[in-house]
Amino acid sequence: MNDILTHCPRCRCSLEIPPDFDNVICRGCATAYWVRRHGGVISLSEIWPEEENPLRATNTGMVIERRLADIDELIEEAESEIAALRSGEQSAPLQMGCAFFGLFMMIIMVSALFMMLGKKYFGSWMYYASIAAVILFGLARIRHKSVSPLQREKLRQDRLLMEDGLAQLETERNRIEKLKASLNSEETDREGPGE
């Protein structure tokens, strides 16, 4: 007989119940259930009332801490992705400037080469043909390397989408931290009168 697959009524975490087990503990919220079978149907009823469950407080805290760690990791990844997209957006003018500077330096190098090695060719058609070839090669390279306005707009749209996702992650993190604080205050309130 196969395991029974169902969901925890409290937290919706998946439960896998072996056929010979009469009870199960949810790994998501640590709620313990009696498993009752009748025909092909099962029913789950909590073993302990909410305030008496010795496992729930520790496991809930662990679940919250694990979720916070996951969200922190996602936030870190989103922030690095946003920084990369922003860098791609902002680097286009810098890349263009560097490419024109490289072209200018190549023209100077060709001129210096002709001055040193071929003084008689400096100012001749070979000199101007070499300068023209360097300029054409440099412009083709600039055109190939430059970021088009469509690519820049796509980077901007991707960045805005990532920033929206980051805002949602931060909202979720704040919500979970509030939940954690309220659980901690409830636990403190419960422990306070007994001391």
Side-chain angles (χ1 to χ4, degrees):
M1 194 169 184
N2 294 335
D3 290 353
I4 300 167
L5 300 175
T6 187
H7 295 300
C8 172
R10 190 176 279 276
C11 72
R12 304 303 300 159
C13 186
S14 64
L15 294 175
E16 194 171 319
I17 306 168
D20 54 342
F21 278 41
D22 291 333
N23 58 44
V24 66
I25 297 175
C26 175
R27 69 174 182 253
C29 64
T31 303
Y33 294 102
W34 287 111
V35 179
R36 295 197 175 106
R37 293 174 177 82
H38 182 68
V41 178
I42 65 162
S43 68
L44 301 174
S45 57
E46 286 189 41
I47 294 175
W48 295 293
E50 187 169 327
E51 60 276 352
E52 294 178 10
N53 188 342
L55 299 173
R56 184 174 292 128
T58 57
N59 279 357
T60 301
M62 287 173 39
V63 168
I64 288 174
E65 289 299 324
R66 191 175 327 127
R67 182 67 180 147
L68 282 173
D70 290 345
I71 288 176
D72 285 341
E73 186 177 318
L74 290 172
I75 286 173
E76 188 176 312
E77 288 174 9
E79 286 172 343
S80 67
E81 184 69 24
I82 288 169
L85 290 170
R86 186 173 287 129
S87 174
E89 275 183 89
Q90 295 172 349
S91 68
L94 179 64
Q95 288 177 351
M96 188 66 72
C98 289
F100 276 111
F101 180 75
L103 175 61
F104 177 70
M105 290 307 294
M106 286 298 293
I107 292 171
I108 289 176
M109 285 178 50
V110 167
S111 296
L113 185 67
F114 269 90
M115 288 174 132
M116 290 186 338
L117 300 177
K119 292 182 182 177
K120 64 181 178 175
Y121 296 114
F122 187 73
S124 70
W125 70 270
M126 275 182 64
Y127 169 73
Y128 291 113
S130 298
I131 295 291
V134 166
I135 290 173
L136 289 174
F137 174 72
L139 290 176
R141 187 168 175 262
I142 289 170
R143 184 168 182 252
H144 177 72
K145 294 269 185 179
S146 66
V147 177
S148 72
L150 290 175
Q151 290 171 324
R152 201 171 314 132
E153 180 61 25
K154 175 149 177 33
L155 287 172
R156 188 180 81 75
Q157 292 296 329
D158 290 347
R159 178 182 55 82
L160 292 174
L161 188 65
M162 288 296 294
E163 286 174 348
D164 287 344
L166 178 62
Q168 290 174 358
L169 284 172
E170 288 172 345
T171 302
E172 178 71 8
R173 186 180 200 296
N174 291 338
R175 187 184 68 77
I176 291 174
E177 284 179 338
K178 286 178 186 175
L179 175 65
K180 179 182 173 184
S182 70
L183 288 174
N184 288 342
S185 68
E186 285 177 13
E187 189 175 301
T188 304
D189 291 343
R190 266 193 306 236
E191 291 174 0
E195 291 180 8

